[in-house]
Amino acid sequence: ELLQSKNNVLSHINMMNGVDSFTAASYVNSTSYANGRARGATGQKAAQNASIKTRVFVAQSLFKYVALPADLVDNNGGSAGSAIVKWVTRELPAKVIRAAEEALLIGGVLNDDGTAYSALNSVVGDVTASSSAYGTVYTPAAGEKLITSLANHVTDVDLLDTNPEGTGIYLVLSRQKARELLNSVSLGNGDYPANLAVSLDSIAGYLGIDGIIELPWLRPASVESGQNPEIATYLGAYQAMLVNLSAYTGVGELTPESLSQYFLRANTYDFESKLRVGGGLASPRAAVLVAKNAAA
């Protein structure tokens, strides 16, 4: 159900389920256009030269694992009907899917040994890398409204010939920034067509994109403990992300796998949800990060 939500990032990527590794032809550095062939020509054809940039994506496990004391579970209804176990069956897959979204969009997710989880290349990391071909960072002028920035730079995100059913482009926002965008649009001032309803769907239609995704986890660190520090870094630097999610190639398996056991030696009920995923952007000009406004 989480994966089918329109606000779920993973439901919109180019996911290759069941493939643990894949080499993508990410983009072509240099090429030439198609040529015609003269009538009666017998000489060798002119070769179309191309230098192709490839990326290798390999799936890696993401998991959430909890071990609950047997007394805690048994005294609250046992492993069949416990309110605690019902919480576990909601909490674990939700947190694993959230971790995959964080890793995909902004990075900062860690392995359990403290090293970086690098199987999912983040959009932010790809765009901000030196000499990146995957996207750009746009810094609005002082006082420029977000709707103006988005309207002027949505065409900086390329469409894919391989995605004929839609643009593939989504606007990714925090809930706070989504409310600010709606408020700004509702005030008008010539920045938005007055005959359109004030809603996120109508804004998406105005921008010519497939949709707007509000991420509940893009929120200040003060409201939750143990937050990924890259969330605060992102919120401090950027207002929004325009990204062609169909340009993001994923490998592995998105359906969370649920595991459970009774651990005799420790008298605990152990529960785990896990995904095996990897991926990254596989097309140039796939994203625009809208930075905070320049200082006045």
Side-chain angles (χ1 to χ4, degrees):
E1 291 174 350
L2 287 168
L3 289 169
Q4 294 169 357
S5 166
K6 69 177 183 179
N7 275 336
N8 180 270
V9 173
L10 302 177
S11 64
H12 304 299
I13 69 172
N14 175 30
M15 186 66 195
M16 304 180 69
N17 284 317
V19 178
D20 285 331
S21 65
F22 181 72
T23 302
S26 190
Y27 59 87
V28 178
N29 288 327
S30 62
T31 188
S32 53
Y33 289 98
N35 291 331
R37 185 69 168 167
R39 291 190 184 92
T42 58
Q44 291 189 3
K45 295 177 181 178
Q48 306 294 296
N49 297 317
S51 175
I52 302 173
K53 170 72 173 179
T54 60
R55 303 188 86 178
V56 179
F57 306 128
V58 181
Q60 180 183 331
S61 290
L62 267 174
F63 73 92
K64 184 169 175 63
Y65 164 74
V66 294
L68 301 178
D71 287 344
L72 177 66
V73 175
D74 292 340
N75 292 340
N76 285 277
S79 61
S82 169
I84 294 174
V85 174
K86 289 181 179 179
W87 171 83
V88 165
T89 59
R90 293 192 305 266
E91 169 77 2
L92 269 60
K95 285 297 190 291
V96 171
I97 290 170
R98 168 179 166 169
E101 288 188 337
E102 290 181 17
L104 189 157
L105 292 175
I106 65 172
V109 174
L110 300 178
N111 297 319
D112 55 354
D113 63 358
T115 58
Y117 180 83
S118 57
L120 288 168
N121 297 270
S122 73
V123 173
V124 171
D126 279 347
V127 170
T128 58
S130 177
S131 302
S132 172
Y134 295 110
T136 55
V137 177
Y138 171 68
T139 302
E144 181 177 305
K145 292 184 178 179
L146 179 57
I147 187 66
T148 303
S149 301
L150 296 170
N152 289 342
H153 291 276
V154 68
T155 54
D156 290 347
V157 181
D158 278 356
L159 308 183
L160 300 185
D161 295 340
T162 54
N163 185 36
E165 296 186 358
T167 68
I169 301 173
Y170 288 83
L171 172 62
V172 178
L173 295 169
S174 67
R175 292 189 67 206
Q176 178 185 6
K177 190 55 66 173
R179 298 308 105 186
E180 290 180 13
L181 181 61
L182 284 171
N183 289 339
S184 171
V185 167
S186 67
L187 295 176
N189 299 325
D191 292 309
Y192 192 73
N195 61 328
L196 291 178
V198 179
S199 70
L200 293 180
D201 286 340
S202 66
I203 294 174
Y206 169 62
L207 294 173
I209 62 177
D210 280 358
I212 296 177
I213 297 174
E214 291 183 78
L215 292 176
W217 52 262
L218 271 180
R219 55 192 177 195
S222 59
V223 302
E224 63 180 338
S225 60
Q227 188 188 75
N228 176 356
E230 287 302 313
I231 295 176
T233 300
Y234 177 87
L235 292 174
Y238 305 108
Q239 300 183 69
M241 176 190 300
L242 280 164
V243 57
N244 190 331
L245 289 174
S246 63
Y248 196 100
T249 295
V251 295
E253 180 58 60
L254 284 183
T255 303
E257 182 179 2
S258 296
L259 304 170
S260 63
Q261 69 172 5
Y262 182 75
F263 187 25
L264 289 172
R265 184 170 296 179
N267 279 358
T268 60
Y269 287 97
D270 297 350
F271 304 92
E272 180 182 72
S273 283
K274 70 174 184 176
L275 301 173
R276 278 187 51 79
V277 288
L281 290 174
S283 293
R285 290 169 51 91
V288 171
L289 304 178
V290 182
K292 291 196 170 181
N293 296 66

